[in-house]
Amino acid sequence: MIGRPCTAATVRSGMAAMNATMLLSAIVSVVLLSTPCAFAQRAGQEAGRVAKFQAALEQDGFSVRAGMISTVDWAGMYCKGERADAGYVNRAPYLMIQVPESAARSAAVENFKLRPDEAIVLIGPTPPPVKYFGFNAFLATRFYPDEPSGTQRRWLVATLGDAINNATIKTAGPTPFGTPVVVIFTPDRGTDARIRSALQRTGYPPAIINTMVLPSSMLKLGESDTADELTLKMRIGLVEGSPEPLEAYVRDAGTAVKVLRVTPTTAVKADPFPVPPLRVRGTGQTEMDLLSKVEQLRAGIIAANPGMHATDILSMPVGYEGYDYIQRRTAPGADSRDNVFLAAGYIPQFGSNQRVTLADDEFLVVYGVNHVATGKASYASVNVYASEFAKLSIGQVFHDKFAGTAAPYLPSGDPAVSRLYAVKASRNCGGEPNCIPLRVDACPVLTLDDDTALGFFFRMYLEPATRTGAAMQEIVYDRAIKFSPRP
């Protein structure tokens, strides 16, 4: 646990300190950013209001079943032998939105079917200050009757349009962080309107209510064996300031964030939402003026390592648009319109087939444009994975470590240094600065050795100007070089 145990005295002292410092932002600080006790007290108060909301729904002719938010550490599960692989996640726990299987079955599941008149409602606080958070709805699996028997239901996990993110979410607080929100996931306008009415009758202001449309015209809704399965996910990226508030949020989300499946008890005429328009990627301003500088940076990196054999590792965009993958019956593996994903090295599931290994006397230099510095992203990261079997991150770095790292490889005073980066990755960093240590910690099922195949994912989330992911054609792709004493 973080902080002191929750007692009446500590609650009173925590509330007094809060009032003395910033009463105006009480709605934010009492939810997340003050003491864990304040968090717990607010969660208890919110539970009472959720119960009133549920009663209002039932009076209006809905049945309501509760789901849950759970913390899932795929990397940890893989290392304990509980998963076949770690799923290319970052080295951090993930929050899973688990939904009651149906109106008749209360078991909470990650993938679920939905009637055209149903909704999933999420109520609770947003994360504390982070560079990015977003709620996504995905087409998880689809049944294709024309495919061979045994392969007819396929995994997709493809986005159904835009996320609701920290730049677009409706809240009542001074920032989108640590503030109460409601998110309704539904295909139906009538259901949405009735839920909004019940929310307002029980004290939820319209300013915090958000709707994510599940587009009926794209989906095979219903409860049949051939109906689509959906899944809802939340992404959180790069905490700002102390990590403790985010750790508390992840730890306590299971009680602080409520998930409800809402089903009309009497059939009504469907009133489906149209497919929402997409936020437009791109501003017309590209990073291409830096392309020659990236080539110059490459030359400087190679010149700084004389006597070493250099092998270029180029990247490619993957998972760019869920709608594209749905039409091709291909799995993007949880894409996001708020992101540009680049893959490199050995990640054959995404078409990147350059086999890269690293011996003790070899190293990598990952380099390119700092997309945050150019305004093309709110945060960016590089992950190196043991990719052939484990799909486990063995090293990562975020853009906040990029400043000045390109300077050793470019002429003194070059103004492009502030918009570029170059970091080393090695199994033997020692105390070397600007080096990502590649290692496996507390994972007995994986041994990192000279033959371990390596893959790379470059992520860049949320272009501020567009409130969505950057346009692929406006990005200079990140790269890597492998250095070896042997050709």
Side-chain angles (χ1 to χ4, degrees):
M1 298 290 288
I2 298 171
R4 297 172 290 172
C6 227
T7 65
T10 54
V11 169
R12 286 194 298 270
S13 65
M15 291 298 291
M18 179 194 72
N19 290 333
T21 55
M22 194 175 285
L23 182 60
L24 180 62
S25 43
I27 193 171
V28 179
S29 59
V30 80
V31 175
L32 272 177
L33 303 183
S34 61
T35 65
C37 294
F39 183 98
Q41 186 187 59
R42 177 64 183 177
Q45 293 171 348
E46 189 61 34
R49 186 159 61 159
V50 170
K52 292 180 181 178
F53 167 58
Q54 182 171 339
L57 287 173
E58 290 169 347
Q59 291 172 4
D60 192 33
F62 289 100
S63 70
V64 183
R65 285 193 177 272
M68 61 186 294
I69 297 286
S70 64
T71 303
V72 178
D73 181 1
W74 283 1
M77 292 172 67
Y78 165 75
C79 289
K80 293 176 184 176
E82 298 171 356
R83 276 184 59 93
D85 59 63
Y88 292 121
V89 297
N90 290 317
R91 289 195 292 182
Y94 277 61
L95 294 179
M96 293 290 184
I97 301 172
Q98 296 188 301
V99 172
E101 188 175 359
S102 71
R105 294 183 291 274
S106 60
V109 294
E110 183 179 347
N111 300 329
F112 61 95
K113 296 175 181 177
L114 196 76
R115 284 171 27 184
D117 57 355
E118 287 185 291
I120 309 300
V121 181
L122 186 148
I123 303 173
T126 57
V130 291
K131 292 295 185 183
Y132 173 80
F133 72 78
F135 298 94
N136 278 105
F138 296 88
L139 173 55
T141 75
R142 170 160 283 179
F143 185 87
Y144 297 100
D146 56 334
E147 296 289 347
S149 178
T151 66
Q152 290 173 308
R153 184 164 290 279
R154 292 191 176 182
W155 285 95
L156 292 173
V157 196
T159 48
L160 294 168
D162 284 311
I164 296 174
N165 60 45
N166 54 284
T168 63
I169 196 164
K170 295 173 61 178
T171 71
T175 79
F177 306 111
T179 186
V181 297
V182 179
V183 183
I184 304 168
F185 302 87
T186 186
D188 192 77
R189 284 186 283 205
T191 296
D192 180 70
R194 292 169 66 190
I195 291 172
R196 283 173 172 266
S197 177
L199 285 164
Q200 293 175 48
R201 292 198 306 273
T202 49
Y204 292 94
I208 72 168
I209 303 173
N210 303 262
T211 296
M212 178 172 283
V213 173
L214 304 175
S216 293
S217 60
M218 291 180 57
L219 296 171
K220 303 171 185 176
L221 296 170
E223 298 175 317
S224 72
D225 291 342
T226 60
D228 289 338
E229 290 183 327
L230 310 177
T231 190
L232 309 176
K233 299 186 185 299
M234 183 182 184
R235 285 183 165 100
I236 306 173
L238 193 58
V239 67
E240 295 193 86
S242 168
E244 290 188 353
L246 181 57
E247 291 169 359
Y249 180 82
V250 171
R251 185 192 66 230
D252 297 331
T255 54
V257 182
K258 305 301 181 184
V259 179
L260 304 174
R261 182 174 188 136
V262 180
T263 307
T265 54
T266 302
V268 296
K269 183 179 179 181
D271 185 15
F273 281 105
V275 178
L278 297 175
R279 293 193 289 273
V280 178
R281 290 183 185 255
T283 64
Q285 298 296 317
T286 78
E287 296 176 337
M288 294 303 157
D289 61 326
L290 290 170
L291 190 57
S292 62
K293 279 294 179 182
V294 171
E295 294 292 349
Q296 186 179 347
L297 177 60
R298 173 187 177 275
I301 294 167
I302 292 173
N305 294 281
M308 300 291 282
H309 179 75
T311 301
D312 288 303
I313 304 168
L314 302 181
S315 62
M316 57 183 286
V318 297
Y320 189 63
E321 291 285 353
Y323 289 174
D324 163 56
Y325 279 79
I326 290 170
Q327 293 181 82
R328 293 191 286 118
R329 302 188 181 186
T330 304
D335 64 293
S336 171
R337 296 203 77 252
D338 286 344
N339 184 29
V340 177
F341 291 99
L342 302 176
Y346 191 70
I347 306 185
Q349 298 91 335
F350 292 92
S352 184
N353 293 296
Q354 183 177 4
R355 192 172 186 89
V356 178
T357 59
L358 206 64
D360 278 342
D361 59 354
E362 298 173 326
F363 62 89
L364 304 163
V365 176
V366 183
Y367 69 101
V369 173
N370 180 346
H371 307 292
V372 176
T374 64
K376 287 297 176 184
S378 297
Y379 96 90
S381 67
V382 180
N383 267 272
V384 183
Y385 293 89
S387 56
E388 187 166 15
F389 304 110
K391 304 177 187 176
L392 176 72
S393 176
I394 59 173
Q396 67 180 2
V397 64
F398 292 92
H399 74 268
D400 59 339
K401 305 299 184 185
F402 287 170
T405 57
Y409 309 109
L410 292 172
S412 177
D414 192 323
V417 164
S418 64
R419 296 189 291 165
L420 302 174
Y421 78 97
V423 294
K424 186 175 178 179
S426 172
R427 292 167 61 188
N428 296 292
C429 280
E432 188 175 351
N434 303 323
C435 183
I436 310 169
L438 303 182
R439 62 174 185 259
V440 177
D441 297 324
C443 193
V445 300
L446 176 65
T447 300
L448 185 61
D449 57 32
D450 295 2
D451 296 321
T452 302
L454 304 179
F456 308 79
F457 270 119
F458 303 91
R459 295 172 170 92
M460 57 202 84
Y461 272 91
L462 201 62
E463 184 173 23
T466 60
R467 304 186 300 170
T468 191
M472 182 175 66
Q473 67 273 17
E474 295 180 3
I475 294 296
V476 173
Y477 298 167
D478 302 64
R479 311 174 183 180
I481 304 172
K482 174 182 173 179
F483 288 96
S484 175
R486 299 168 296 279

